[in-house]
C-alpha cells in the first residue's frame, strides 16, 4: 500500500465528510490507497453507516468519545499501512483537476529522500521562529513517524501540534516542502 489517507471527523457528516469523500472518489486513484476515517464522538449522526456503506478502500475507525483532532489523528496514523500518510481534514475537498494530479503533486518532492513531509499551506510561527506546514493537508513519510513519533497529544484537542511536529521533523534532519 502506497498511501494512507487519514481523515479525523467529529459530527460534520453532511456538510464536510460526505463532500470530502466524494471529492476523493472523483479525483483520486484509490487503487493503492486506504482511506481511514477516524470518527470521534460522532454519536448517531449516521457517520458509521455512511462510511461502512462505501466499502474498500474506505475504513472506519470508531471512537465513542470526542477525542479531539490530535488524538483522533494519532489513532489513524497508528492504524495506517501506507508508505505515505496523508493527514486530511474532513472539511477539505479536492478541487476539479486532472485525475490523481493532486496526489501526484504532493508525492513528487518525496523523490528526494531527505524530504520527510509535503504540505500545501505554510505559515510563520513565532514559537519556533520558522515556517511550518499547516496540517489540514500534509503528506508525511511513514519513516518520519517511525523516527520521531506521532503528534504530541499535549496539544489536544488540537492547536499547535503541526508547529511542534514540523520543528521535530527539522531537528531529525528531514526537510519539508510547501507546494
Amino acid at each position: 500500500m502506497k498511501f494512507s489517507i487519514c481523515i479525523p471527523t467529529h459530527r460534520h457528516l453532511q456538510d464536510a465528510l460526505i463532500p470530502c469523500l466524494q471529492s476523493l472518489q472523483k479525483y483520486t486513484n484509490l487503487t493503492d490507497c486506504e482511506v481511514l476515517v477516524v470518527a470521534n464522538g460522532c454519536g448517531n449522526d449516521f457517520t458509521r453507516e455512511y462510511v461502512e456503506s462505501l466499502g474498500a478502500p474506505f475504513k472506519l475507525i470508531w471512537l465513542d468519545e470526542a477525542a479531539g483532532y490530535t488524538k483522533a489523528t494519532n489513532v489513524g496514523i497508528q492504524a495506517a499501512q501506507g508508505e505515505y500518510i496523508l493527514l486530511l481534514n474532513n472539511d477539505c475537498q479536492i478541487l476539479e483537476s486532472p485525475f490523481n494530479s493532486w496526489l501526484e503533486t504532493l508525492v513528487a518532492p518525496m523523490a528526494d529522500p531527505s524530504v520527510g513531509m509535503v504540505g500545501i499551506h505554510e505559515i510563520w510561527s513565532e514559537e519556533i521562529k520558522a515556517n511550518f506546514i499547516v496540517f489540514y493537508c500534509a503528506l508525511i513519510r511513514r519513516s518520519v513517524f517511525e523516527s520521531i513519533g506521532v503528534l504530541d497529544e499535549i496539544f489536544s484537542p488540537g492547536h499547535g501540534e503541526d508547529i511542534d511536529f514540523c520543528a521535530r521533523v527539522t531537528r531529525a534532519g528531514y526537510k519539508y516542502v510547501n507546494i
Side-chain angles (χ1 to χ4, degrees), residues 55-93:
F58 296 88
K59 299 176 183 178
L60 176 68
I61 300 172
W62 188 264
L63 305 175
D64 286 327
E65 301 299 319
Y69 173 82
T70 309
K71 289 181 182 184
T73 301
N74 281 344
V75 168
I77 292 166
Q78 291 161 343
Q81 298 177 15
E83 177 185 352
Y84 300 102
I85 300 170
L86 177 69
L87 307 183
L88 187 67
N89 281 10
N90 69 338
D91 60 352
C92 291
Q93 292 181 42

Side-chain angles (χ1 to χ4, degrees), residues 7-23 37 39 42 44-51 53-54 90-93:
I7 305 172
T9 190
H10 174 73
R11 294 190 180 167
H12 281 278
L13 176 64
Q14 295 295 329
D15 64 332
L17 185 62
I18 289 175
C20 174
L21 297 183
Q22 287 175 338
S23 74
V37 177
C42 289
N44 59 357
D45 72 350
F46 300 103
T47 296
R48 180 189 302 270
E49 293 82 357
Y50 177 73
V51 175
S53 77
L54 297 174
N90 69 338
D91 60 352
C92 291
Q93 292 181 42

Side-chain angles (χ1 to χ4, degrees), residues 24-175:
L24 280 176
Q25 290 172 308
K26 187 172 182 179
Y27 297 112
T28 310
N29 179 356
L30 295 172
T31 309
D32 205 12
C33 295
E34 64 179 349
V35 181
L36 304 166
V37 177
V38 184
N40 71 110
C42 289
N44 59 357
D45 72 350
F46 300 103
T47 296
R48 180 189 302 270
E49 293 82 357
Y50 177 73
V51 175
E52 288 177 346
S53 77
L54 297 174
F58 296 88
K59 299 176 183 178
L60 176 68
I61 300 172
W62 188 264
L63 305 175
D64 286 327
E65 301 299 319
Y69 173 82
T70 309
K71 289 181 182 184
T73 301
N74 281 344
V75 168
I77 292 166
Q78 291 161 343
Q81 298 177 15
E83 177 185 352
Y84 300 102
I85 300 170
L86 177 69
L87 307 183
L88 187 67
N89 281 10
N90 69 338
D91 60 352
C92 291
Q93 292 181 42
I94 310 309
L95 300 177
E96 186 173 338
S97 56
F99 190 68
N100 215 47
S101 65
W102 75 278
L103 197 52
E104 292 167 358
T105 300
L106 279 170
V107 77
M110 297 289 193
D112 176 350
S114 69
V115 174
M117 181 170 57
V118 177
I120 64 169
H121 187 190
E122 180 180 58
I123 59 175
W124 178 259
S125 167
E126 276 301 313
E127 291 87 357
I128 63 171
K129 303 289 188 228
N131 286 335
F132 72 97
I133 299 293
V134 182
F135 273 8
Y136 65 84
C137 181
L139 185 69
I140 305 167
R141 287 183 195 274
R142 168 182 292 290
S143 59
V144 170
F145 290 113
E146 292 167 351
S147 175
I148 68 173
V150 295
L151 309 182
D152 191 333
E153 292 183 9
I154 196 168
F155 297 103
S156 283
H159 181 68
E161 69 285 335
D162 42 10
I163 299 169
D164 172 71
F165 195 84
C166 287
R168 289 191 288 142
V169 163
T170 303
R171 281 195 304 268
Y174 295 99
K175 295 187 285 188

